[in-house]
């Protein structure tokens, strides 16, 4: 098959999300060199817009050249070293991944586990941090993509403020869809991905590091285990020196810049409200059709809905029919939720009432036949 033969899909899974024509057109603009003054000016603009979306004044805010998992690995690798104690909240795939990566970096991990579909109780995180005052890092997943859980952050952020323990947050599925508010919540390291609520193709991972995190990086006795993701080296490329580090994905940065312009034009509060309104409507409509929402009540993401099918229907064949007959992609469950739920994303350009109408029409057809 050639790429010209690929049929369009309505992307309503856990990511990637639908990409607007404006962003696709931006990607087709002329490629220039990664040290071209035009591109460097555009990169500076991207960093400034990311600060606004993250809700931070951090100077070290930029897109990592890689997907959200590269953002995760880079975030950890720069502030975690062998022998460090790391406290991680685990209630899904991505908390589990934080644990795995931290252990590979030689950290002693304290996993604070909660059932899939539920939040990690903040008081249990605080108990773990009280029990491990030597902890160098505490980590939580803000929007657990595997379950649709919206994790509260304020309690942990308030507890860690002015302490030596850094606070790391996974905002891959939350950035641009619900408030992240890095500075207000006392978050030291935060990373995301372009392919979720920002509505940009996968390939970049926005990250931000606080001054406290940068001091930790500068004082390391051993260098970051990843040369490619070493913020100390990347800083020289982003700063006044413009020292070569790697060849940035030029056209993907064009796409991110255009995506951030779209967010600016809409306004963050309006964007959050749109995701909330459309997500709440979908969840209500699914419940009316006999679906059972999987994520804990009161902590459900509007942009990522997880739900078990009515009457114990097997999810795989019906999800396949949505794709084959209606060209709509939704996701299945992972881990303990595999084969039990659908994961439906209404993110970025896909968070509209028209999208919900099209999905519900297709859902009704596959359930009735």
């Amino acid at each position: 098959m050639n790429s010209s033969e690929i049929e369009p899909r309505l992307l309503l899974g856990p990511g990637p999300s639908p990409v607007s024509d404006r962003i696709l057109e931006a990607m087709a603009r002329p490629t220039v060199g990664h040290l071209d003054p035009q591109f460097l000016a555009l990169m500076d603009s991207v960093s400034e817009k990311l600060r606004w979306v993250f809700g931070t004044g951090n100077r070290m805010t930029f897109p990592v050249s890689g997907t959200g998992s590269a953002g995760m690995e880079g975030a950890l690798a720069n502030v975690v070293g062998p022998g460090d104690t790391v406290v991680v909240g685990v209630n899904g795939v991505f908390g589990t991944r934080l644990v795995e990566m931290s252990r590979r970096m030689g950290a002693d991990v304290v996993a604070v586990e909660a059932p899939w579909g539920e939040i990690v109780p903040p008081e249990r995180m605080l108990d773990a941090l009280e029990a491990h005052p030597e902890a160098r890092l505490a980590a939580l997943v803000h929007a657990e993509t595997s379950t649709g859980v919206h994790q509260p952050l304020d309690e942990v952020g308030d507890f860690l403020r002015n302490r030596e323990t850094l606070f790391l947050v996974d905002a891959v599925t939350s950035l641009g869809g619900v408030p992240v508010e890095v500075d207000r919540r006392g978050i030291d390291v935060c990373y995301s991905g372009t392919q979720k609520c920002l509505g940009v193709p996968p390939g970049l991972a926005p990250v931000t590091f606080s001054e406290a995190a940068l001091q930790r990086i500068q004082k390391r006795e051993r260098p970051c285990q990843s040369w490619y993701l070493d913020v100390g080296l990347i800083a020289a490329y982003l700063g006044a020196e413009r020292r070569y580090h790697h060849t940035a994905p030029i056209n993907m940065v064009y796409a991110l810049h255009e995506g951030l312009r779209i967010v600016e034009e809409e306004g963050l509060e309006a964007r959050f409200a749109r995701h909330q309104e459309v997500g709440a409507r979908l969840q209500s409509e699914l419940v009316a059709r006999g679906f059972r929402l999987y994520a804990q009540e009161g902590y459900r993401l509007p942009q990522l809905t997880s739900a078990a099918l009515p009457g114990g229907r097997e999810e795989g064949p019906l999800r396949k029919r949505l794709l084959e007959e209606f060209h709509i992609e939704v996701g299945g469950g992972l881990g303990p939720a595999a084969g039990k739920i659908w994961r439906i994303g209404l993110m970025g350009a896909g968070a509209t009432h028209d999208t919900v109408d099209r999905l519900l029409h297709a859902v009704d057809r596959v359930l009735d036949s």
Side-chain angles (χ1 to χ4, degrees):
M1 171 178 277
N2 295 321
S3 60
S4 60
E5 299 175 292
I6 292 177
E7 298 180 358
R9 310 290 198 191
L10 178 56
L11 297 175
L12 302 183
S17 60
V19 179
S20 74
D21 289 341
R22 275 181 60 176
I23 292 172
L24 294 175
E25 289 166 5
M27 294 183 73
R29 290 174 189 144
T31 304
V32 297
H34 62 284
L35 294 175
D36 188 299
Q38 300 174 98
F39 178 70
L40 294 175
L42 192 76
M43 182 69 93
D44 288 344
S45 179
V46 165
S47 292
E48 187 57 38
K49 293 177 191 301
L50 284 175
R51 291 185 189 98
W52 172 66
V53 179
F54 272 119
T56 185
N58 292 341
R59 60 187 173 92
M60 189 52 62
T61 303
F62 65 96
V64 167
S65 301
T67 59
S69 291
M72 177 188 286
E73 188 150 9
L76 286 170
N78 278 279
V79 295
V80 172
D84 288 350
T85 298
V86 175
V87 177
V88 181
V90 182
N91 58 347
V93 164
F94 297 97
T96 303
R97 189 171 296 180
L98 282 167
V99 168
E100 172 65 16
M101 285 187 182
S102 297
R103 285 178 174 154
R104 289 186 180 209
M105 294 168 193
D108 296 324
V109 178
V110 178
V112 181
E113 299 191 20
W116 283 43
E118 299 181 13
I119 64 167
V120 178
E123 61 273 16
R124 292 193 54 216
M125 285 292 292
L126 301 189
D127 288 345
L129 289 165
E130 290 275 19
H132 295 277
E134 79 284 4
R136 301 279 281 169
L137 187 77
L140 283 171
V141 178
H142 188 208
E144 181 49 80
T145 316
S146 61
T147 64
V149 166
H150 190 177
Q151 175 69 37
L153 304 174
D154 289 351
E155 295 92 335
V156 174
D158 289 343
F159 178 84
L160 293 176
R161 205 177 296 273
N162 300 319
R163 294 178 185 243
E164 290 295 318
T165 307
L166 297 179
F167 187 22
L168 179 147
V169 169
D170 178 319
V172 169
T173 299
S174 55
L175 191 68
V178 294
V180 176
E181 301 178 302
V182 163
D183 288 354
R184 187 189 72 76
R185 286 172 160 152
I187 300 168
D188 293 294
V189 185
C190 192
Y191 58 90
S192 187
T194 51
Q195 75 275 20
K196 309 284 188 171
C197 293
L198 296 180
V200 176
L204 291 173
V207 298
T208 186
F209 292 82
S210 72
E211 289 303 313
L214 293 179
Q215 290 176 20
R216 170 79 59 83
I217 293 167
Q218 291 163 3
K219 293 177 181 178
R220 289 182 66 121
E221 295 181 359
R222 299 175 56 170
C224 173
Q225 73 167 35
S226 171
W227 181 93
Y228 183 67
L229 299 171
D230 186 336
V231 165
L233 299 177
I234 295 172
Y237 170 60
L238 297 174
E241 291 180 69
R242 301 301 191 184
R243 186 188 304 165
Y244 169 71
H245 178 259
H246 70 280
T247 303
I250 311 300
N251 293 63
M252 269 301 304
V253 176
Y254 296 169
L256 177 56
H257 188 265
E258 191 65 21
L260 291 169
R261 287 184 62 212
I262 291 170
V263 175
E264 266 186 332
E265 290 166 11
E266 182 176 12
L268 274 180
E269 294 305 319
R271 195 174 185 88
F272 298 153
R274 173 167 62 86
H275 282 83
Q276 181 61 47
E277 177 182 326
V278 174
R281 181 193 162 202
L282 173 64
Q283 290 170 12
S284 176
E285 295 277 9
L286 290 176
V287 169
R289 286 163 170 77
F291 284 77
R292 180 180 58 80
L293 299 180
Y294 182 72
Q296 183 177 344
E297 186 174 0
Y299 299 96
R300 292 169 181 153
L301 290 167
Q303 69 268 38
L304 197 288
T305 295
S306 56
L309 275 66
R313 301 282 293 272
E314 190 177 353
E315 65 85 19
L318 296 181
R319 184 159 47 89
K320 182 179 179 182
R321 286 188 58 197
L322 284 181
L323 186 66
E324 293 178 347
E325 298 175 25
F326 298 94
H327 306 287
I328 297 174
E329 176 186 287
V330 301
L334 301 173
K340 299 177 181 178
I341 62 171
W342 279 354
R343 291 181 297 145
I344 303 172
L346 296 174
M347 296 183 278
T352 68
H353 287 291
D354 286 344
T355 298
V356 175
D357 290 339
R358 181 173 164 186
L359 173 63
L360 292 174
H361 169 75
V363 166
D364 289 340
R365 294 283 298 274
V366 300
L367 289 179
D368 289 343
S369 59

